[in-house]
Amino acid sequence: MPASPASPASPAPPDRRHDIDALRALAFLLVILYHVAMYYVADWPWHLKSPHAAEWLQWPMRVLNLWRMDLVFLISGVSLGFLSRNQGTWQLLRSRGARLLLPLVFGMAVIVPYQAYAEGVANGLVAPGFGAFLLRYLPMNDPWPKQAFAGAEFGITWNHLWYLPYLFTYTALIALTLPVWRSRAGQWMRRSFNALRGWRLLWLPALPLLVWTMLLARHFPPTHNLVRDFYLHSIFFTVFLYGYWMGADTGVWRELARLRRMSLALAAAAIAAFIVLRLGAKGPPSGVLMDTLRMLYLWLAVATILGHGHRYLNRPWRWLRWANESVYPWYVLHQTLIIAGIALLAPLALGPVLEPMLLVVLTIAGCWLLTDGMIRRFTWLRPLFGLKPRRIGGKTEITSPAEPLPPEPGWRSRSPRA
């Protein structure tokens, strides 16, 4: 959200946090690459699976999967920390509801159905014919076989759009309890977190994540079912709250940048130890040691990315304004375009190297063409993809996607998590 122009008598507004904008765009680009890889990783369930599925791909995917969505939720929490300075409870609920829930409903009705159709046909439980599928899918009054596609038991599915209801739920929890967070106790918690320095910043935030893991992980495996996903909720909401606390505080960001090399070395050591122990076990290892390594690695990886981002990305990159307005439509579109690309390329039998390369190219090209060629140009399409109306006061407005950041004062993927 651009700052309003300063009057001649007032000082120029400070620069916005370009590093958060850049990290959000890069994090969602990583989500696209990750979902392309899900087609090729062996033994991990996904909507479609390649005949070239490879077991070796499990390890780089697992290394990413332990922190990728946690980073996204933390960045979303940072954005809410900025927004909540100038908005009350009902303003936040109204603005976030429009930006998150409208694209969710539109996506479930228009964007996602092809994913369910392709999966159902591949499973042999849906008859070919997309039009006939839609006539049964959209009314939700004719049940599907449970294994037809992900979410078939509900009649309709949100697939990769699960992030939107999760994010709105966490935003609503903060918005409805704003008096608590603005109270003395709430401000003390925020100040205490942001006052962490040195080694305390590198391990204390991992402790709550470890507690949730030990208490909930074995009883509530990840499902991306909003009302039953207790373990993932505990992890995602905790890092979301960290981001909300960090918001505009300059000290904690400078400390993360100062510690970026140490956090990188410690993250590498944690994941190396985790891999060695896992490879040496006959079955999936468990226990306090493995849980500790996982959660330490999660937080250290996120801290490393935030620190390096603050050090090297906090500048007005020429591509950043375009990326801010493109990232949300790309997120909504990308997985359906991946499935469509698979349907196009699979019959050509291009092999395990050329095919994934072309699939990435087709997905990115499709996202770019649809976003720049249609979505950003038509005012009626923009809200359906989380963008604000194009024209305000006769001037073109450049907006961030789901999580706009004001200036800072003074500065069911279904893959396993381990």
Side-chain angles (χ1 to χ4, degrees):
M1 180 186 301
S4 56
S7 65
S10 63
D15 291 338
R16 64 181 285 145
R17 284 291 302 277
H18 303 293
D19 56 326
I20 299 301
D21 290 336
L23 285 175
R24 179 176 52 225
L26 294 174
F28 278 103
L29 178 60
L30 182 61
V31 169
I32 294 176
L33 298 177
Y34 182 90
H35 283 156
V36 170
M38 281 297 294
Y39 176 55
Y40 294 100
V41 61
D43 300 326
W44 286 19
W46 200 60
H47 311 290
L48 302 174
K49 298 305 293 186
S50 171
H52 307 297
E55 290 188 7
W56 68 265
L57 195 54
Q58 292 179 8
W59 278 109
M61 293 284 282
R62 186 172 283 116
V63 168
L64 291 177
N65 203 38
L66 285 171
W67 55 260
R68 62 184 185 91
M69 289 307 300
D70 311 270
L71 174 66
V72 171
F73 278 108
L74 187 141
I75 291 172
S76 299
V78 172
S79 302
L80 184 66
F82 280 89
L83 288 171
S84 63
R85 296 179 303 166
N86 304 316
Q87 297 185 30
T89 295
W90 301 114
Q91 288 176 302
L92 283 173
L93 290 175
R94 184 170 59 250
S95 62
R96 296 298 86 195
R99 302 289 289 279
L100 297 172
L101 298 185
L102 181 58
L104 174 64
V105 172
F106 175 77
M108 290 173 67
V110 178
I111 307 297
V112 169
Y114 182 74
Q115 299 179 39
Y117 167 73
E119 182 178 1
V121 171
N123 290 337
L125 296 173
V126 171
F130 186 53
F133 172 82
L134 284 179
L135 292 176
R136 181 178 173 184
Y137 175 86
L138 293 176
M140 295 187 297
N141 55 14
D142 188 3
W144 299 90
K146 187 175 181 179
Q147 302 301 321
F149 53 84
E153 62 270 29
F154 303 105
I156 193 169
T157 182
W158 52 42
N159 279 353
H160 70 290
L161 300 181
W162 64 267
Y163 163 75
L164 302 181
Y166 279 50
L167 179 56
F168 179 75
T169 299
Y170 306 156
T171 300
L173 286 174
I174 296 293
L176 292 170
T177 55
L178 275 181
V180 174
W181 304 113
R182 291 172 176 173
S183 68
R184 284 189 177 184
Q187 290 302 308
W188 176 83
M189 294 175 68
R190 180 195 294 265
R191 287 193 302 270
S192 298
F193 183 87
N194 289 328
L196 295 175
R197 295 293 182 267
W199 62 271
R200 292 179 179 85
L201 184 57
L202 296 183
W203 75 270
L204 281 177
L207 283 183
L209 306 178
L210 176 59
V211 171
W212 298 134
T213 299
M214 294 173 64
L215 292 177
L216 300 175
R218 289 158 185 80
H219 303 289
F220 302 101
T223 62
H224 295 155
N225 180 326
L226 182 65
V227 298
R228 299 177 183 174
D229 215 1
F230 298 112
Y231 171 56
L232 283 190
H233 281 319
S234 69
I235 299 295
F236 290 155
F237 182 71
T238 298
V239 295
F240 181 81
L241 187 59
Y242 290 170
Y244 172 72
W245 283 338
M246 293 166 68
D249 186 274
T250 58
V252 71
W253 289 98
R254 289 170 178 163
E255 184 68 357
L256 285 168
R258 186 182 74 84
L259 296 171
R260 66 189 185 278
R261 295 186 182 91
M262 181 182 296
S263 60
L264 175 61
L266 292 173
I271 193 61
F274 178 86
I275 292 173
V276 168
L277 290 174
R278 179 143 186 164
L279 288 175
K282 294 182 179 179
S286 59
V288 176
L289 177 59
M290 297 301 292
D291 290 341
T292 300
L293 289 172
R294 288 171 57 208
M295 294 303 106
L296 272 177
Y297 169 67
L298 186 163
W299 174 248
L300 288 167
V302 169
T304 298
I305 293 167
L306 296 178
H308 280 83
H310 193 65
R311 174 64 178 82
Y312 297 110
L313 296 177
N314 197 15
R315 63 191 67 180
W317 302 95
R318 294 183 64 180
W319 50 268
L320 202 49
R321 294 177 69 191
W322 169 83
N324 278 340
E325 197 170 58
S326 299
V327 62
Y328 198 16
W330 281 43
Y331 162 69
V332 173
L333 292 168
H334 79 275
Q335 189 156 289
T336 296
L337 290 176
I338 291 172
I339 299 295
I342 291 171
L344 178 66
L345 295 175
L348 303 179
L350 298 175
V353 176
L354 181 58
E355 182 185 88
M357 293 174 60
L358 287 178
L359 186 56
V360 171
V361 170
L362 286 176
T363 302
I364 291 177
C367 288
W368 175 69
L369 286 171
L370 289 171
T371 300
D372 282 46
M374 293 178 57
I375 295 166
R376 294 177 61 182
R377 294 174 180 269
F378 296 99
T379 299
W380 64 274
L381 271 177
R382 294 173 65 88
L384 301 177
F385 289 88
L387 303 181
K388 287 185 176 179
R390 186 174 178 82
R391 294 188 177 275
I392 295 180
K395 295 183 179 181
T396 300
E397 179 194 25
I398 302 297
T399 62
S400 296
E403 310 294 329
L405 289 177
E408 174 188 350
W411 274 84
R412 164 169 144 178
S413 164
R414 293 176 289 162
S415 56
R417 293 208 21 115

